[in-house]
Amino acid sequence: MDVKQAIESRRSIRKFTNQPVSEEELQALLEAARLAPSSCNCQPWRFKIVTGQADIGWLSGSGSKGQGWVNTAGAVVVCCADTSRFLEDSKATVRLLKDSGMLPPRMLEGLEEYMNRAEKAPLEAIRWAAATNCAIAVTQMMLRAVEMGLGTCWMGMYNEEAVKERFAIPEHLAVVSLLAVGRPAESPQPRPRKPMEAILLR
Ligand SMILES: Cc1cc2nc3c(=O)[nH]c(=O)nc-3n(C[C@H](O)[C@H](O)[C@H](O)COP(=O)(O)O)c2cc1C
């Protein structure tokens, strides 16, 4: 399967068989996430893997605001963003680039301007920036899952405080999405997409 095929055949899967997802498969998904690009290579993603019927069952109830279909998932990846290291890790890369002497002065200026703005940004803005980076990592997991015959569904609806408490997620991490993973027990038709002319600005 090539990337085009994975992109075209991916669907949100909300019904899974009861066959478990193996540790090796979960590791392969995490590896796809680990290799994702990020702003200033800051890699703010942190993941908690949830398996086990009691926890999955909880996630299908109050944890996900009642998304009962989650109950059939083999695993749920809790995707978190480390907002506490976002600036520090970004600055380390900027320093490296600066020290390398390889960046033209105008680009260096642009990067420093970006970092100065980021330093003054409220936590909510840092959270959004970190979440954007995490979204790329989750997308890579979803596409790798397709290649491996696994199904996924991104979940943006969940109770962040309750999820953090249940899985002992440290305070400085924001839960930015959940990813349900399992063996598909449905093959949905493609969901509608806007036509090219509706998204392309001319
Ligand atoms: C940011 C985001 C949040 C989402 N949240 C949920 C969710 O909480 N529950 C759910 O069942 N699907 C959720 N989805 C899946 C979307 O409903 C789905 O991607 C969309 O309808 C298109 O269908 P497709 O993924 O099969 O192409 C979410 C997707 C994204 C990208």
Side-chain angles (χ1 to χ4, degrees), residues 6-183:
I7 290 170
E8 288 175 353
S9 58
R10 186 209 56 77
R11 305 276 181 275
S12 290
I13 299 297
R14 300 184 180 89
K15 192 173 177 195
F16 302 99
T17 71
N18 55 11
Q19 246 188 306
V21 179
S22 72
E23 182 56 38
E24 291 72 32
E25 287 170 317
L26 290 170
Q27 283 303 317
L29 297 185
L30 290 173
E31 180 62 4
R34 195 179 70 85
L35 298 178
S38 56
S39 57
C40 290
N41 203 17
C42 65
Q43 306 166 59
W45 40 75
R46 308 287 182 265
F47 302 103
K48 174 97 181 175
I49 304 292
V50 176
T51 53
Q53 206 41 55
D55 285 334
I56 300 272
W58 180 83
L59 276 173
S60 74
S62 53
S64 69
K65 307 196 176 186
Q67 300 195 57
W69 59 268
V70 179
N71 205 29
T72 63
V76 174
V77 184
V78 180
C79 310
C80 305
D82 189 342
T83 50
S84 72
R85 292 197 55 89
F86 185 79
L87 284 176
E88 202 182 311
D89 287 346
S90 302
K91 277 198 283 186
T93 302
V94 172
R95 261 198 309 276
L96 260 178
L97 288 170
K98 202 172 171 178
D99 294 349
S100 75
M102 281 163 62
L103 277 192
R106 250 186 85 191
M107 257 190 88
L108 202 56
E109 240 173 70
L111 261 179
E112 280 175 346
E113 206 180 291
Y114 165 78
M115 285 314 309
N116 288 340
R117 245 185 304 128
E119 272 180 345
K120 291 183 202 119
L123 182 62
E124 196 53 22
I126 299 289
R127 181 189 158 113
W128 275 102
T132 303
N133 287 301
C134 293
I136 303 167
V138 176
T139 303
Q140 295 205 168
M141 280 199 271
M142 291 196 298
L143 293 177
R144 180 76 169 99
V146 174
E147 187 190 26
M148 293 162 62
L150 294 171
T152 59
C153 186
W154 186 310
M155 298 160 65
M157 199 166 70
Y158 51 85
N159 182 337
E160 180 170 10
E161 278 319 304
V163 169
K164 281 182 84 163
E165 192 182 326
R166 172 107 184 174
F167 302 112
I169 310 270
E171 199 43 49
H172 64 281
L173 301 185
V175 179
V176 291
S177 60
L178 306 183
L179 187 70
V181 183
R183 296 189 188 287

